Amino acid sequence: IGVIIAERYTGYSQSFYHKFFEHISKVSEEYKYSAILHILTTDDEDLLMLPRIYHEQKVDGFVILGQLSGEYIEALDKTGVPVVFLDFYTDNPAMDCIITDNFYGMYELTNFLIRMGHRDIAFVGNLHSTSSIQDRFLGFYKSLLEHRIPLPEPYIINDRDEKGRFIDFQFPAILPTAFVCNCDQVAYNLIAALNKQGYQVPIDCSVVGFDHDIFSELAEPKLTTVEVNMAEMAKTAVKTIIKKIASKNPGHGRISIKGKVIYRDSVCAPRRLVDVEETTR
């Protein structure tokens, strides 16, 4: 089984996908398959260069880990080799995808912030970057709609450029009481940026992430986040690709695996609410 990861998702700062590959490799061995990792360079992705392991016929199928360009996915699909997407999906209903329940996980996390008293809540993420970020934003926005909380345009804060490279945050003139970040690494970076400006988390503003990766533990304070069930997603992806290899059937479409909210110290009631309560006493 070939596992393709774009180089922008690799390295220490993107250890999330390396852990995913470890799970895929372990499950593959249980089914007497081997997982071969291929790091797809940006140039090869742009030029639609298929992996050498495809041309040398070393793999029976591919698991694509992390979103690639639509053109590259189309080129891979035309080969006829069985393919499963992991941690993203596209608008092609015939493609098999294994994703975490990004929508509901972020919906649940935002509901928690609102129960804590937050009403000025920003979302941090490039909405055009990946399907996962889009779904997390939509879960966040559904929670705001249900509670009739407005979302000013400055409260959608970009975190990366079109190539997936992180950029400096542009904070709104009036700081929200809570930031909902599309992933833990972005939340970690955001806390560092807030600290540089003299703000303390969660006293001045709360911050939450998504994934429950190493950055949720490295952050100070540790992050409230959504734990992705990586082991179950990897197991489902391997079972799906093996079935496709064996039967050449079109597969099962999109499969969603539920995550779990992890409550930590990066969230508290907004200072304005605390001040009002103390004044009332």
Side-chain angles (χ1 to χ4, degrees), residues 174-209:
I174 301 175
L175 202 70
T177 64
F179 292 89
V180 172
C181 300
N182 72 85
C183 70
D184 291 337
Q185 184 178 4
V186 169
Y188 175 88
N189 294 341
L190 183 81
I191 290 174
L194 288 167
N195 289 342
K196 281 185 179 179
Q197 296 197 17
Y199 296 107
Q200 285 185 283
V201 176
I203 296 170
D204 296 308
C205 51
S206 295
V207 176
V208 299

Side-chain angles (χ1 to χ4, degrees), residues 26-38:
K26 182 179 178 181
V27 176
S28 298
E29 291 287 345
E30 293 173 4
Y31 287 90
K32 304 190 184 308
Y33 274 80
S34 295
I36 303 175
L37 178 63
H38 175 79

Side-chain angles (χ1 to χ4, degrees), residues 4-18 37-41 65 185:
I4 299 177
I5 306 177
E7 67 176 345
R8 60 182 171 274
Y9 300 133
T10 61
Y12 172 77
S13 63
Q14 296 288 355
S15 61
F16 180 73
Y17 280 144
H18 280 298
L37 178 63
H38 175 79
I39 304 299
L40 180 67
T41 68
L65 183 48
Q185 184 178 4

Side-chain angles (χ1 to χ4, degrees), residues 123 127 133-142 151 156:
F123 183 86
L127 305 188
I133 293 177
Q134 289 169 358
D135 284 352
R136 291 171 191 183
F137 171 76
L138 292 172
F140 158 80
Y141 192 49
K142 174 178 170 59
L151 178 61
I156 302 176

Side-chain angles (χ1 to χ4, degrees), residues 2 5 30 33 56 64 71 87 120 162 217 222 262:
I5 306 177
E30 293 173 4
Y33 274 80
E56 295 177 356
I64 313 299
E71 294 80 10
D87 200 41
D120 302 314
E162 297 307 312
E217 299 280 352
K222 289 182 171 57
I262 306 295

